[in-house]
Amino acid sequence: MTLPISKDFRKLLAFGSGVGIEIGAAELEVAVVRVRPTQIQVSGRLTVPAYATRPAAEWGAEYGRFLRKLGASHLGATVLLPRRDVIVRLLAFPGVAKGDMESAIRLQLDTLHPYGEEDVCWGWSPLTHGQVLVGIARRETVDRYAQLFNEAGVAISSFTFSAAAIHAAIALNSAETADGFLALSQTGSGAVEVYGESPARRVFSAQFESSSGRATALALAELRLAPETEPRALEEVLPKPALNPVENDLSRNALPYATALAGACPRLVPAANLLPVEYRRSVSRAMFIPTAALAACLLLIASAMAAYHTIADRRYLAQINAEIAQLEPQARHAAALDRQIQDMRSRSRLLDQFRGQTHGDLDALNELTRLVSPPAWTNSIDLTRDAAHISGEAPQAAPLIKLLDSSPFFDNSAFVVVTRSGSNEQFQIRTDRENRK
């Protein structure tokens, strides 16, 4: 993942060396760069002709002598795969965390290539605003190239593609253009290499066999840039080397140089790596020097901050404990007063309840006197807190149930006993008392 640091700070951390190899139709183009915060140097350039028809050990020995001469034999190379072997996709995952980006790509991987059930190798580069640049190649193709370089004794750390390599090289320490740009370059075979960035399309990369004018018009339309936008040379948007050998003509083919830059500081500006882990070889330890130094500084700062916070926390805790000890007697007294107030409130509610019981009983008795009116009468009335038992006589006892239930003082009235005695009915009724406070 790209480190979340500013461009200026990224330049201070730019420390490393890289070897870039472009696989051409008939030759290999090799560039070696040395990146430092203050400048970039191209240490050397090599063309390996007829690599496909010559014995691998032969041109591998030539490559090894070239690196030893430059003191770069310990470096693993970043290889730029041919365009015909890589499918490039630009995807957007708004709202997806960086840690979950690879899983999100993997879920869509089968829909991004036409290889069906064939094994594929893939890699991705982070862009901005949740966008990623994904490259996919057949596993068979990657294995073939990996075996070829292994037979030649060439240590490989990465297989990438032109869009990812150029984007990483530009992001290393060159100026960024918010309005977008279009850059052109001539490849060794005479084709026009096109690379552009715009707000509408974060990265666009293509190769045209047509004229540069036709390639420019098509690319500007794809990038949604104004037709009058002037294309720039690709070497102009790449970081300018302070030292560049005569044989390294960036105007003829800047891709090996961009690939070497992408491999020099892979942790600052990573380029998509399609090479399986089991094939990767890299013994360069120089790139870890800034990281180790920064890690040591951060460790010292973190230790100092942790010690400061520990001491400050102890002092603050001691002050709080002293305040607690000072206020604890008042807190205990306040708690005791709260308990006394609660007890007094409970007693007051109990007294109010007792005082209200007699009044309620008289109201209930008065209501019964009103309801059971002549010619009906009662022999006995038994009142409890939640019920009333009424015994008496009436010419017709049934209406009494309805009368009692219609009263706000009683509910759920029912006969316990109803018997006929002469012209009257003797009854016993139980009814619930409503809770009236």
Side-chain angles (χ1 to χ4, degrees):
M1 304 299 294
T2 304
L3 294 178
I5 53 180
S6 67
K7 172 181 170 291
D8 293 335
F9 191 45
R10 185 189 306 162
K11 291 180 66 173
L12 294 176
L13 299 178
F15 190 99
S17 299
V19 178
I21 301 178
E22 180 189 8
I23 301 178
E27 67 281 326
L28 300 177
E29 296 290 346
V30 184
V32 181
V33 300
R34 183 174 180 268
V35 178
R36 294 296 182 267
T38 56
Q39 65 178 5
I40 296 174
Q41 298 180 357
V42 179
S43 302
R45 175 73 178 263
L46 173 69
T47 299
V48 179
Y51 74 94
T53 58
R54 294 166 57 192
E58 179 181 327
W59 60 263
E62 180 182 343
Y63 171 85
R65 289 192 296 271
F66 169 71
L67 290 190
R68 285 193 296 273
K69 179 181 177 181
L70 300 177
S73 58
H74 61 287
L75 296 175
T78 299
V79 177
L80 190 68
L81 294 175
R83 279 185 174 273
R84 64 179 181 274
D85 294 324
V86 184
I87 291 178
V88 180
R89 296 285 187 262
L90 182 63
L91 304 179
F93 296 98
V96 177
K98 290 185 179 181
D100 299 329
M101 197 71 74
E102 185 165 338
S103 299
I105 299 172
R106 194 181 300 276
L107 288 175
Q108 299 187 20
L109 188 62
D110 291 341
T111 65
L112 301 179
H113 64 82
Y115 301 139
E117 299 298 325
E118 294 185 55
D119 288 341
V120 296
C121 297
W122 62 284
W124 62 284
S125 296
L127 303 178
T128 56
H129 307 299
Q131 299 185 45
V132 294
L133 193 63
V134 181
I136 307 171
R138 285 188 175 93
R139 177 64 185 250
E140 177 186 0
T141 302
V142 173
D143 288 343
R144 184 176 76 250
Y145 284 124
Q147 183 64 30
L148 177 64
F149 285 108
N150 184 57
E151 292 176 1
V154 177
I156 303 299
S157 62
S158 173
F159 279 174
T160 190
F161 50 95
S162 59
I166 296 174
H167 180 267
I170 293 174
L172 184 61
N173 68 349
S174 63
E176 299 176 356
T177 305
D179 296 334
F181 65 89
L182 176 65
L184 305 180
S185 174
Q186 196 78 18
T187 66
S189 61
V192 179
E193 178 75 26
V194 175
Y195 178 87
E197 298 181 5
S198 71
R201 189 181 179 97
R202 189 64 187 88
V203 170
F204 174 73
S205 177
Q207 194 175 93
F208 296 92
E209 299 298 334
S210 57
S211 65
S212 59
R214 177 63 176 166
T216 298
L218 294 174
L220 290 176
E222 187 71 26
L223 290 166
R224 308 294 192 272
L225 294 177
E228 61 272 12
T229 301
E230 289 294 330
R232 303 166 62 183
L234 181 59
E235 64 269 18
E236 293 178 3
V237 300
L238 293 173
K240 185 177 181 179
L243 178 64
N244 187 34
V246 175
E247 63 271 17
N248 186 40
D249 186 3
L250 296 181
S251 63
R252 185 180 65 86
N253 191 357
L255 289 180
Y257 171 63
T259 306
L261 289 177
C265 303
R267 284 165 178 77
L268 288 180
V269 284
N273 190 353
L274 281 66
L275 186 64
V277 176
E278 61 269 22
Y279 290 134
R280 299 177 188 179
R281 295 171 58 189
S282 178
V283 293
S284 176
R285 297 181 177 86
M287 67 176 67
F288 298 108
I289 294 177
T291 304
L294 284 175
C297 293
L298 289 175
L299 182 60
L300 291 175
I301 294 173
S303 300
M305 292 180 64
Y308 171 78
H309 285 306
T310 300
I311 296 173
D313 289 345
R314 288 178 180 175
R315 291 179 178 175
Y316 184 59
L317 183 60
Q319 293 175 359
I320 291 177
N321 289 332
E323 292 290 337
I324 290 174
Q326 182 179 357
L327 298 174
E328 189 172 4
Q330 301 178 26
R332 286 198 298 266
H333 181 64
L337 289 177
D338 288 340
R339 288 192 295 270
Q340 293 178 11
I341 292 171
Q342 188 64 29
D343 184 53
M344 295 298 294
R345 286 176 177 173
S346 299
R347 293 182 181 181
S348 177
R349 284 194 297 268
L350 184 60
L351 291 174
D352 289 341
Q353 182 179 354
F354 277 116
R355 282 195 298 267
Q357 287 178 2
T358 301
H359 187 270
D361 291 343
L362 292 175
D363 288 343
L365 187 58
N366 184 53
E367 183 71 3
L368 285 173
T369 302
R370 184 183 67 82
L371 295 174
V372 186
S373 60
W377 72 89
T378 59
N379 295 329
S380 66
I381 298 176
D382 183 13
L383 294 177
T384 63
R385 297 272 65 79
D386 56 0
H389 296 267
I390 309 166
S391 299
E393 292 185 17
Q396 293 291 333
L400 294 176
I401 298 298
K402 186 176 181 181
L403 285 173
L404 290 171
D405 286 343
S406 66
S407 172
F409 289 86
F410 305 104
D411 193 18
N412 296 328
S413 304
F415 286 112
V416 179
V417 175
V418 178
T419 60
R420 171 63 66 174
S421 177
S423 61
N424 290 334
E425 291 181 345
Q426 294 182 346
F427 61 85
Q428 291 185 14
I429 299 175
R430 184 194 182 281
T431 182
D432 293 337
R433 295 181 61 181
E434 290 290 337
N435 185 17
R436 297 176 60 84
K437 296 184 178 179

